[in-house]
Amino acid sequence: MGTTIAFSQKQVVQRRPYADYRQFHLGFHVGVHTQDLAIINSGSQRVLPDQSLGDPIYSEISSYSPGFSVGIIADYTLKLNWELRFIPTLHLAERSFAFSNGKEQIESLSSRSNLIELPLLIKYSSERLNNIRPYMLFGGYTALQIGQKKGDAIHFKPLEYGLKVGVGCDIYLSFFKLSPEISFSYGLGDVIQHQRPDISEDSRIHYTQSIQKAFPRMFMLTFHFE
């Protein structure tokens, strides 16, 4: 006597089954992020009130405050599983600096860092599993610095650029597609504005001079709605 055991997979109704076959579609996203800087210190010395030179000044990012991000999505399907994605995004945040003489902290400052980021990315998606589809993306970005306060000790250059990578998962709902995503970007150019005639007579110019180079980094958690 033989016994036959049949295995079956539970069938799930696919929501929005033709969503991935559209060649062009739009959406928007909201999220949070933190901005960091990879700082190379110059070792410049602070001028003391008696005009003598003090200890070298060292700078670092002292804390990470969450910023807000919002943007739109323009997505073009190159072929199945491959998409070209343009995501203009507004980032609102501040960067906090701590300055020390190597022994103790001597000053803490913050500078507004509001960016209009313009990333152009390639998105590669795996095969769809019921109503879930993981993906990864990579590409480059440029960003425009806006809304800086005049007279801040640290100013950023008006333009930055770099690389961006991320992973996420498309979740197909009845009326739209929700995609939680984690991404990381790394700037390739120095973003510190070193020429500061506006504060040349201000003692805070030494804090600008203490930074030889600084490369931006950003970690983002976003939710896409398409």
Side-chain angles (χ1 to χ4, degrees):
M1 182 177 66
T3 303
T4 302
I5 302 176
F7 295 92
S8 62
Q9 183 178 5
K10 183 179 179 181
Q11 295 296 317
V12 175
V13 176
Q14 284 198 353
R15 294 186 285 265
R16 299 178 57 80
Y18 304 108
D20 297 321
Y21 294 96
R22 297 168 55 190
Q23 191 162 30
F24 183 79
H25 58 271
L26 299 172
F28 71 95
H29 72 89
V30 295
V32 293
H33 73 275
T34 57
Q35 296 188 30
D36 189 17
L37 287 173
I39 295 176
I40 299 174
N41 288 290
S42 66
S44 67
Q45 296 173 280
R46 181 173 51 150
V47 178
L48 301 176
D50 62 0
Q51 301 303 309
S52 63
L53 294 177
D55 295 325
I57 302 173
Y58 302 98
S59 61
E60 63 179 359
I61 296 297
S62 59
S63 62
Y64 300 95
S65 302
F68 176 71
S69 302
V70 61
I72 59 175
I73 303 166
D75 201 291
Y76 179 78
T77 301
L78 300 172
K79 62 179 182 177
L80 190 62
N81 299 339
W82 292 91
E83 300 168 25
L84 182 64
R85 173 164 283 201
F86 180 56
I87 317 177
T89 303
L90 173 64
H91 302 294
L92 304 175
E94 285 190 347
R95 289 171 174 149
S96 299
F97 295 84
F99 299 89
S100 72
N101 58 11
K103 304 170 186 176
E104 59 182 357
Q105 182 174 315
I106 57 177
E107 184 64 273
S108 61
L109 300 168
S110 63
S111 292
R112 181 180 298 174
S113 181
N114 298 337
L115 297 167
I116 298 178
E117 185 187 49
L118 304 170
L120 185 63
L121 308 170
I122 295 293
K123 176 183 175 183
Y124 173 74
S125 303
S126 70
E127 296 300 322
R128 178 171 173 171
L129 178 63
N130 293 327
N131 290 307
I132 294 177
R133 195 182 193 197
Y135 66 85
M136 62 178 293
L137 47 83
F138 56 91
Y141 77 90
T142 59
L144 305 174
Q145 187 75 235
I146 60 172
Q148 295 191 84
K149 292 181 180 179
K150 185 177 181 180
D152 276 354
I154 305 296
H155 260 211
F156 306 111
K157 292 179 180 178
L159 181 68
E160 65 180 66
Y161 59 93
L163 303 175
K164 191 178 186 76
V165 296
V167 294
C169 185
D170 292 332
I171 302 172
Y172 297 81
L173 304 177
S174 298
F175 299 104
F176 62 91
K177 185 169 64 175
L178 171 65
S179 305
E181 179 183 295
I182 294 174
S183 62
F184 177 78
S185 59
Y186 192 95
L188 298 178
D190 177 26
V191 295
I192 300 298
Q193 187 73 53
H194 297 283
Q195 301 300 322
R196 297 294 310 283
D198 56 320
I199 60 169
S200 60
E201 304 299 325
D202 192 317
S203 62
R204 295 177 303 160
I205 189 65
H206 303 302
Y207 300 125
T208 293
Q209 295 172 342
S210 72
I211 302 174
Q212 181 178 347
K213 292 182 179 180
F215 302 92
R217 299 182 292 195
M218 184 185 299
F219 176 82
M220 290 183 60
L221 170 64
T222 52
F223 296 89
H224 298 254
F225 299 85
E226 300 176 53

